[in-house]
Amino acid sequence: MTSAIPGFFQGTDMPTTGWWEVLWPDPASVLSATGVKRGMDVIDLCSGDGWFTLQIAKVARHVIAIDIDADLLEVARRRLTENGMTNCDFVAGDAYELARLASRPVDFVFMANAFHGVPNRPRLAHAVHTTLGQAGRFAIVNWHQTPREKTIVMGEPRGPKTELRLSPEQTIVAVESSGLKLAELVEVPPYHYGAVFEKSTA
Ligand SMILES: C[S@@+](CC[C@H](N)C(=O)[O-])C[C@H]1O[C@@H](n2cnc3c(N)ncnc32)[C@H](O)[C@@H]1O
């Protein structure tokens, strides 16, 4: 049970039943919607089994996949190796320790399907702020605050409990406390939104 790992964020277990690929048939489109661009240095924070990491690696100069679950990182490593990717590092650790885990500033931090479970969101946002280079961006992809019984994939309600889901406004307030500023809010159909924040260039 991965959620037995100390520090594991609530309601962020990686789904194992195959519905993830059905919900996210085109992960590359999520990256372009949130602004991952060719040549960037990117961190995939809470990267899970690498479903998004692989697509990031295809466009980025370099990607660091960070997850607290070392077994999932191995699955991600295998996925990227099988696809011939060599521009990725895999780092096991707690997302709060991001500033220590990343060896240098990056252009972009991508975090999908995990921010809802973070107990101290301003702390996490502060760690991201520290890790971003000038004008760096932080994209959070979250489930909308739709009741769980209405987010159906393959005939069943999916995703975190309704009470864990965050509105865009709740996400923005938590992240902006770190000094990052909202740059864009995008829809990621059918059930998600992307909130993209930027580090001030001043
Ligand atoms: C629902 S999965 C999403 C994985 C991936 N981002 C995606 O969307 O396909 C959430 C991930 O967050 C990871 N996680 C949970 N708590 C964490 C923590 N404190 N630090 C880093 N990763 C964590 C879990 O191990 C899991 O792989």
Side-chain angles (χ1 to χ4, degrees):
M1 178 91 171
T2 50
S3 47
I5 297 172
F8 195 90
F9 298 148
Q10 201 187 351
T12 64
D13 286 278
M14 190 77 222
T16 52
T17 53
W19 61 267
W20 205 239
E21 294 78 359
V22 173
L23 175 60
W24 303 106
D26 185 9
S29 71
V30 178
L31 302 174
S32 60
T34 51
V36 176
K37 294 201 171 63
R38 198 153 288 284
M40 283 179 162
D41 285 336
V42 180
I43 290 173
D44 186 6
L45 192 57
C46 302
S47 53
D49 67 4
W51 187 247
F52 288 99
T53 320
L54 173 60
Q55 304 306 323
I56 296 171
K58 288 181 181 173
V59 293
R61 192 188 74 83
H62 185 262
V63 55
I64 307 172
I66 296 178
D67 201 283
I68 204 164
D69 186 338
D71 293 341
L72 278 178
L73 277 179
E74 276 313 305
V75 177
R77 187 196 296 275
R78 218 173 310 128
R79 187 195 293 280
L80 272 83
T81 304
E82 282 168 5
N83 281 276
M85 295 296 150
T86 55
N87 58 341
C88 188
D89 289 328
F90 301 85
V91 179
D94 192 320
Y96 284 145
E97 301 300 322
L98 177 61
R100 188 178 55 78
L101 298 172
S103 46
R104 56 180 184 273
V106 296
D107 304 305
F108 203 98
V109 175
F110 179 82
M111 185 179 195
N113 299 299
F115 194 70
H116 63 265
V118 178
N120 187 339
R121 296 181 194 109
R123 178 179 170 197
L124 193 275
H126 180 75
V128 172
H129 186 282
T130 306
T131 307
L132 287 172
Q134 249 201 359
R137 287 196 162 199
F138 178 30
I140 296 174
V141 175
N142 271 345
W143 289 83
H144 268 297
Q145 217 172 30
T146 311
R148 188 174 189 273
E149 63 269 21
K150 294 196 172 159
T151 54
I152 306 290
V153 185
M154 290 177 73
E156 283 183 37
R158 307 286 187 178
K161 291 181 194 161
T162 305
E163 57 269 30
L164 280 179
R165 300 180 183 207
L166 300 171
S167 67
E169 293 70 28
Q170 288 171 311
T171 302
I172 292 164
V173 167
V175 175
E176 288 197 333
S177 69
S178 72
L180 293 169
K181 289 283 165 247
L182 182 72
E184 253 187 299
L185 193 57
V186 296
E187 278 303 311
V188 183
Y191 300 135
H192 287 68
Y193 62 90
V196 185
F197 300 86
E198 189 167 45
K199 185 166 174 169
S200 154
T201 48

